Amino acid sequence: MVAVGALMLVSCNNGLSEEGQKAWDNFKDLAATFESLEAADANYDSMEELNAGYEAFSEASTNMAQYVFQITEEQADSFKTICENCAAVYQQAQEMSQAADEIDEAADEFEDAADELDEAIEDVE
């Protein structure tokens, strides 16, 4: 939503203020941790850390809204692209984590079934 607003509101400006540049740099630094699954994996050791990192990125994205009148059209395009890419990477990481959890559950169920089978075999012997 912020990215769309940024694209719509870009107008002639004198560039980012010092605070705006700091916000832009912070946004880009946090975005770099979500630029790919490999980057996310390298920067976050758990889903809890990944979720916290994405929350910080989202806050940085929202913070950029106050500087929307200062950014150039190129920055607005970049902002939109970065937001879309990071959201896609985060979504993919969540899906992979959920799949891993489901595999772990299935493995636990298999292990439980194997234990029950072993007990049944012992009972028969």
Side-chain angles (χ1 to χ4, degrees):
M1 185 66 90
V2 175
V4 171
L7 287 175
M8 291 174 28
L9 297 175
V10 171
S11 62
C12 295
N13 61 58
N14 297 324
L16 285 168
S17 64
E18 186 176 330
E19 297 83 22
Q21 188 61 50
K22 286 179 185 176
W24 178 251
D25 292 342
N26 182 50
F27 166 77
K28 286 178 43 179
D29 288 345
L30 289 168
T33 67
F34 289 97
E35 66 187 2
S36 67
L37 284 174
E38 293 78 16
D41 187 47
N43 284 286
Y44 303 103
D45 293 328
S46 67
M47 275 308 292
E48 291 80 21
E49 287 182 19
L50 183 88
N51 290 334
Y54 194 74
E55 184 176 326
F57 167 75
S58 295
E59 288 173 14
S61 300
T62 302
N63 186 39
M64 281 301 300
Q66 63 187 313
Y67 304 105
V68 72
F69 291 110
Q70 298 176 9
I71 62 176
T72 65
E73 187 172 349
E74 292 80 20
Q75 284 174 313
D77 289 341
S78 178
F79 181 77
K80 179 180 183 281
T81 301
I82 290 169
C83 286
E84 290 172 349
N85 183 57
C86 290
V89 168
Y90 179 67
Q91 179 66 33
Q92 192 174 8
Q94 284 184 314
E95 290 169 359
M96 290 175 67
S97 176
Q98 184 178 0
D101 289 346
E102 290 171 2
I103 289 170
D104 288 345
E105 278 183 35
D108 289 344
E109 289 174 11
F110 179 77
E111 193 173 299
D112 290 345
D115 289 344
E116 289 176 17
L117 181 60
D118 287 343
E119 288 175 15
I121 290 172
E122 287 176 9
D123 289 344
V124 170
E125 294 176 341

